[in-house]
Amino acid sequence: MLSTMTAISVDAGNRQKISILGEHVLGGGHISRDEAQWLFDLELSADILDLLSWANRIREQFKGNKIHLCSIVNAKAGACSENCSFCAQSSFYQTGSPKYGFVDPEPVLEAADEANKNSVTAVGLVAAWKGLNEGPMLDEVCDRIRELKAGGKTRPDASLGIIKKQAVADRLKEAGLECYGHNLESSRRFFPQTCTTHTFDDRLETIGYLKKAGIKICSGGIIGMGETREDRCDLAFELKAIGANVVPVNILNPIPGTPFEKNPPLPVLEILKTIACFRFILPRQEIMIAGGRTVNLRDAQSMIFMAGASALMVGNYLTTLNQPVEKDLQMLKDLGLDPSWDNHGFSDQEETGCNYGKESCETEMSKSFAAESA
Ligand code: SF4
């Protein structure tokens, strides 16, 4: 009897704490690192479902019912010089993934047509290589971006690896690039376990050049690689610090032949909780569910929106299949969500509330966390 009473009172306490944090974010506030970690550490399914419903409210408040759809074209496949442990395209691993050089205009323009037909906002050119330098390849990349832009059917995006010079980012901007995908992958602490041929700082440096060029940043990571909840929380705060505009959350789809091939899948509730925590930490950003959605979430895919996701990668991924885009569009329609994202300027991400770290932003919880640790 006593233990049941205790359980009820713990549940009620958690519900109240989640709602305090939810109200705070809805009011334009920001949660602290400790508060976010507390959310990541929730275990009871009743608490996680409470968290999702608050994340859903936050998404509704800042994003309405608009869902931003993106698709990608594998513009140069396989034989990559890098050793990212999750990637089928690394030359370090035998995965049987296709290999080809940089694409001609036709497949890119066909992808733009297809995207336009399906209400997809952006098409991203993705290349499997370490990065982009000045030279003939940059010229060719800029040609593809210009063609996409001139077609006027989708927003031209790209994900072309590490950039080491401001001039490269400036050329991409000049060609009409609006948004560049460059994931941090995980926390700074866990990053060396995902890749040793380049560093976390290489990635931050690239993002710095892109931001200086006036290009929007699409940056997120992959969960399920063996990282801890602390790593996921740190990643979300890094993404907040760099001012990512779109935050892709990928869920590891273990590829045979890669070092992560035997990683156990994350439980569905853990994935949904992670998305919800990202929404609490990044209330105004586009949180996009990308690779690994179908295989990891199966019938629970539609719950990503209740967990706070506001964007979706549709069509096939780089080396794995997704469910047909028609099925995704039907899922959105069934949920009353609208894929016609009309804010190509990202102006809905302007801050109007208090800033992270300011005293005025303290919640009752952060005061109690401080009191507990004093
Ligand atoms: S993730 Fe990108 S950089 Fe890393 S191996 Fe794959 S293609 Fe290369």
Side-chain angles (χ1 to χ4, degrees):
M1 185 66 181
L2 182 63
S3 67
T4 311
M5 290 295 291
T6 309
I8 290 168
S9 82
V10 168
D11 271 357
N14 284 357
R15 190 164 68 231
Q16 198 187 1
K17 283 181 182 177
I18 296 166
S19 73
I20 290 170
L21 295 178
E23 289 287 5
H24 183 65
V25 177
L26 280 176
H30 297 252
I31 62 171
S32 71
R33 173 69 181 68
D34 284 346
E35 289 164 339
Q37 189 62 57
W38 182 81
L39 294 177
F40 273 98
D41 288 335
L42 289 172
E43 293 282 1
L44 295 175
S45 62
D47 290 338
I48 295 171
L49 292 174
D50 256 0
L51 178 73
L52 300 195
S53 80
W54 279 99
N56 184 54
R57 278 169 188 254
I58 297 167
R59 177 187 60 75
E60 288 264 351
Q61 162 118 344
F62 293 108
K63 299 287 158 196
N65 72 339
K66 298 282 184 194
I67 299 295
H68 173 188
L69 301 184
C70 284
S71 65
I72 46 178
V73 183
N74 206 356
K76 184 265 163 195
C80 179
S81 63
E82 303 306 284
N83 69 351
C84 306
S85 298
F86 50 83
C87 183
Q89 303 202 73
S90 166
S91 58
F92 284 71
Y93 320 123
Q94 301 302 318
T95 64
S97 152
K99 300 180 177 74
Y100 53 81
F102 199 70
V103 283
D104 295 326
E106 291 75 24
V108 178
L109 296 175
E110 276 165 26
D113 277 343
E114 185 67 17
N116 185 255
K117 209 171 70 195
N118 291 315
S119 313
V120 176
T121 303
V123 168
L125 296 176
V126 183
W129 56 38
K130 180 167 188 160
L132 193 55
N133 300 311
E134 285 175 292
M137 187 45 74
L138 178 60
D139 298 340
E140 213 174 323
V141 165
C142 288
D143 286 346
R144 289 303 92 77
I145 292 167
R146 264 188 226 102
E147 289 150 12
L148 262 181
K149 180 95 178 164
K153 297 205 167 153
T154 62
R155 192 182 75 210
D157 288 1
S159 179
L160 305 162
I162 287 165
I163 290 175
K164 282 279 174 198
K165 268 189 172 178
Q166 187 61 48
V168 175
D170 293 344
R171 285 276 313 276
L172 294 171
K173 174 72 181 171
E174 226 173 77
L177 187 75
E178 289 192 35
C179 187
Y180 193 96
H182 199 57
N183 285 341
L184 295 183
E185 311 300 12
S186 191
S187 67
R188 174 183 286 279
R189 180 176 47 242
F190 190 76
F191 186 87
Q193 293 186 55
T194 72
C195 178
T196 55
T197 46
H198 62 265
T199 65
F200 194 77
D201 284 322
D202 287 329
R203 293 193 160 254
L204 290 179
E205 191 188 11
T206 300
I207 288 168
Y209 290 132
L210 292 160
K211 287 185 74 166
K212 203 163 166 211
I215 295 169
K216 299 290 180 191
I217 303 299
C218 170
S219 183
I222 307 176
I223 60 172
M225 297 191 291
E227 77 289 344
T228 62
R229 289 170 175 165
E230 284 77 15
D231 290 314
R232 290 175 208 146
C233 189
D234 284 350
L235 170 64
F237 277 93
E238 283 281 2
L239 295 166
K240 187 180 186 96
I242 63 169
N245 303 92
V246 182
V247 173
V249 176
N250 297 273
I251 311 137
L252 183 76
N253 180 1
I255 307 286
T258 63
F260 289 164
E261 67 177 332
K262 292 202 164 49
N263 275 33
L266 286 178
V268 167
L269 276 183
E270 188 68 27
I271 297 169
L272 294 171
K273 180 179 64 175
T274 304
I275 298 167
C277 291
F278 271 56
R279 175 53 71 205
F280 269 70
I281 299 166
L282 300 154
R284 294 168 195 272
Q285 315 319 113
E286 295 297 344
I287 295 180
M288 175 166 72
I289 310 311
R293 162 167 59 102
T294 320
V295 73
N296 283 285
L297 290 170
R298 300 173 294 280
D299 286 349
Q301 284 182 73
S302 59
M303 288 189 72
I304 57 174
F305 304 109
M306 188 182 170
S310 60
L312 200 59
M313 176 74 74
V314 297
N316 288 335
Y317 307 121
L318 295 174
T319 61
T320 55
L321 300 178
N322 197 356
Q323 71 177 12
V325 66
E326 294 75 19
K327 220 172 158 187
D328 285 335
L329 291 173
Q330 186 63 50
M331 173 170 71
L332 295 177
K333 195 169 168 203
D334 291 343
L335 294 168
L337 297 169
D338 176 5
S340 57
W341 191 67
D342 50 11
N343 189 349
H344 289 226
F346 297 95
S347 60
D348 59 335
Q349 294 178 359
E350 294 300 316
E351 285 284 348
T352 51
C354 54
N355 292 323
Y356 175 61
K358 277 195 179 166
E359 204 185 336
S360 62
C361 198
E362 273 192 353
T363 61
E364 287 309 309
M365 269 191 73
S366 69
K367 286 179 205 154
S368 79
F369 273 123
E372 276 167 28
S373 55

